[in-house]
Each structure stands twice: as structure tokens, then as C-alpha cells.
Amino acid sequence: MLNEIQKRILQEVADMAAIPNGAVNIRSDGQKQYRHNTKNIEIISKTDKDGIDIHIKPFTKGESVHIPVVLTASGFQDTVYNDFFIGEGAEVNIVAGCGIHNCGGCGDSQHNGIHTFYVGKNAKVSYVEKHYGEGDGQGKRILNPQTVLYLEEGASVNLETVQIRGVDDTTRYTKAVLQGANSEIVITEKLLTHGEQKAVSDMDVFLDGEGSRTQVISRSVAQDDSTQIFYPRVTGNQECFGHVQCDAIIMGNAKVRAIPEITCNHVDASLIHEAAIGKIAGEQILKLMTLGLSYEEAEQKILDGFLK
């Protein structure tokens, strides 16, 4: 049974209080806590390493998959390999993520989630991955996710990653291979770091299918003495379209590097990148303060809207 801390963290990373019709797998401190399959979605434990295989039948509609991970044991190190097999024409919502509660002095707590998606012809996937950390112990809260996606003809993926406060160190790697014609992926990153936290986002998108498309959107806020590095790379190997946009707000003594890279290997590949880093404009603060907000309230309102 889950304790109150575990339940609260589950709500932070996977909205477990409002699960629609679908499959569920809950992992806590390296152990399976709960699993529910449906007629169209089957979750199977791997036999060669930690992790699960998620099989979604062709033409499944209106169902979801929730696979949250919770770490509450201080100093716990966890690595899982989760593979998704999404059948032709399926339309599914997937919510994953990890919450770490580290209040002890027994060392760093770390979770490495390695997720691989095989998205079938004309399938549509919405994938949300949330990371959350809390605790006042001396040990760090470390999350190093990897997400790899292979898209067949006409497949569409909307990938959203969210990490707002609480995680001391994270190195995220995302790889998308759009091998099918007219496949499409939209990747949205939302990140807030504070204190002395460090975050690195490394990304490769390969537009191999004719007519494939991608949009990469990174929105981040770096506060205090935290550091962030974004390195999104898009490679066009066919007639395709790609747009990379990195926007960051920098505060205090924080440091942010945005290094978007585009490579065209085909005469009909059309790729665009842009990046902007700056502080909150004074007139934005002043305008909200004239409406009755304090400086701190105005600043928070701007940050909430930026990361929405």
C-alpha cells in the first residue's frame, strides 16, 4: 500500500486523482505497487532487466496509460527500461514521470527512465513526462531520462516534458527518428531551475521520411545560481520541415546556454532555428503592479504564464 507521501508525489507527476479509462503501472522504490491492464492495452514486466513492455492494440481509441515512478528511500538508485509498442491507427494518451522525496542523509537518490516508443502507421500519441523533487536532506535528487521514438508513415506524436523545481541534477536525452512519410512530432520542454541546480537537455530529431515535420519548443526559467544547457539538433534527410525555438528567462546569477543546430542533407529540407535569452522586462512588472500586485506577485504571474 502507498503511504501519504507516495500518494502526494503521484499526484504531482501523473495526476493520479483523475485517471480516465486506461492502463496503470505504479513503481515505488524499485518495486511494482499496482498494475491494471485493459482489453486493448497490456503491460508486461520484462524478464531480462527492470522495466515493462506496453502493448497498445491497433485502432485503440480513447484510452490512456499512466506509468509513474516514486522514490522515497534516501540514497536509492533506480534504472528502468520501458518500451511502448503502439499499433496502427491507435490514438492514446500516455503520462509518465518520476517523483523523488529525499529527506535523509544517506546519499543521492537517482532515477534513470529509458523509454522507447515504436509508433505505428497513422497512430496518434500524446505523451507527457513530469519530473518532481522535494525534501530537505543532504542528498541530491537526480533524474536522467532518455526518450527514443521511431515514427512510421503518418504517425503523429505530441511530446511534452515538464520539470518545475526540486530536481538538483538532470541530463535529458531525446531522440526522434521520423522514418515514415508524412510523420510528425511536436516536442515541448518546460523547465525551471533554482538554487544551484543543473539541467542539460540534449536532443536529436532525424527527418528521414518524405514530408516529415517537427516543431521543437523549449521554454525555461533559470533562477539563483542554477545553470541550464539546451542542445537541440534537427537533421533533414528528405523533403521535410523543422522549426526549433528556444526561449529562456534568466534571473539572479543563473547561466543559460542555448545551442540549436540544424543540418540539411536534402535540397527540399526546410529548417529554421531561433533562440532568445533575457530577463523579465521592467515594464511587464510595472504594468502588473499598477493592477495591485506586489513585485513578487507580478514576477510569479509572469513566470507562470511563460511556463504554462
Side-chain angles (χ1 to χ4, degrees), residues 113-125:
I114 295 127
H115 294 175
T116 304
F117 291 77
Y118 302 92
V119 187
K121 181 179 179 180
N122 295 324
K124 295 182 179 180
V125 178

Side-chain angles (χ1 to χ4, degrees), residues 199-213:
V200 177
S201 179
D202 202 16
M203 184 184 304
D204 284 299
V205 180
F206 298 98
L207 300 173
D208 295 340
E210 184 176 356
S212 56
R213 300 171 62 86

Side-chain angles (χ1 to χ4, degrees), residues 6-7 28 45 54 57 76 79-80 83 89 96 98 104 116 136 149 154 186 196 208 215 225 232 253 298 307:
Q6 292 169 326
K7 291 178 181 178
S28 179
S45 296
I54 302 95
K57 291 183 179 180
F76 193 82
T79 299
V80 294
D83 294 341
C98 178
T116 304
D136 54 6
L149 308 101
V186 177
E196 296 182 351
D208 295 340
Q215 184 176 13
D225 296 298
N253 297 314
L307 293 171

Side-chain angles (χ1 to χ4, degrees), residues 45-257:
S45 296
K46 291 184 180 295
T47 57
D48 57 338
K49 53 189 173 184
D50 280 346
I52 54 178
D53 291 335
I54 302 95
H55 295 268
I56 300 171
K57 291 183 179 180
F59 306 106
T60 297
K61 308 285 185 181
E63 294 195 31
S64 66
V65 182
H66 282 65
I67 56 165
V69 173
V70 175
L71 269 64
T72 59
S74 181
F76 193 82
Q77 309 289 310
D78 191 32
T79 299
V80 294
Y81 299 83
N82 299 330
D83 294 341
F84 297 79
F85 302 89
I86 299 149
E88 176 182 355
E91 296 182 10
V92 64
N93 296 321
I94 300 171
V95 179
C98 178
I100 296 180
H101 178 87
N102 188 359
C103 280
C106 298
D108 300 341
S109 295
Q110 179 172 333
H111 175 73
N112 304 321
I114 295 127
H115 294 175
T116 304
F117 291 77
Y118 302 92
V119 187
K121 181 179 179 180
N122 295 324
K124 295 182 179 180
V125 178
S126 172
Y127 175 52
V128 178
E129 184 176 287
K130 299 180 180 180
H131 286 164
Y132 173 76
E134 64 177 28
D136 54 6
Q138 297 299 311
K140 290 184 177 180
R141 296 167 293 276
I142 302 171
L143 291 165
N144 295 323
Q146 293 185 29
T147 305
V148 180
L149 308 101
Y150 299 95
L151 281 66
E152 295 185 13
E153 178 182 351
S156 176
V157 174
N158 192 328
L159 166 61
E160 180 180 350
T161 63
V162 180
Q163 182 175 304
I164 307 298
R165 295 187 176 275
V167 179
D168 295 302
D169 284 286
T170 184
T171 299
R172 175 187 297 278
Y173 179 64
T174 306
K175 176 183 176 182
V177 182
L178 281 68
Q179 51 199 21
N182 300 313
S183 53
E184 179 181 19
I185 188 167
V186 177
I187 302 173
T188 304
E189 290 189 339
K190 298 178 182 179
L191 172 69
L192 187 148
T193 56
H194 61 99
E196 296 182 351
Q197 295 174 352
K198 299 176 182 179
V200 177
S201 179
D202 202 16
M203 184 184 304
D204 284 299
V205 180
F206 298 98
L207 300 173
D208 295 340
E210 184 176 356
S212 56
R213 300 171 62 86
T214 188
Q215 184 176 13
V216 178
I217 303 166
S218 174
R219 289 201 161 192
S220 73
V221 176
Q223 299 176 326
D224 306 323
D225 296 298
S226 64
T227 60
Q228 300 178 5
I229 300 175
F230 299 93
Y231 196 178
R233 299 174 294 273
V234 176
T235 301
N237 295 318
Q238 269 285 358
E239 182 270 318
C240 61
F241 175 80
H243 182 208
V244 180
Q245 178 182 341
C246 302
D247 294 319
I249 292 176
I250 188 168
M251 306 170 68
N253 297 314
K255 296 179 176 62
V256 178
R257 294 180 65 197

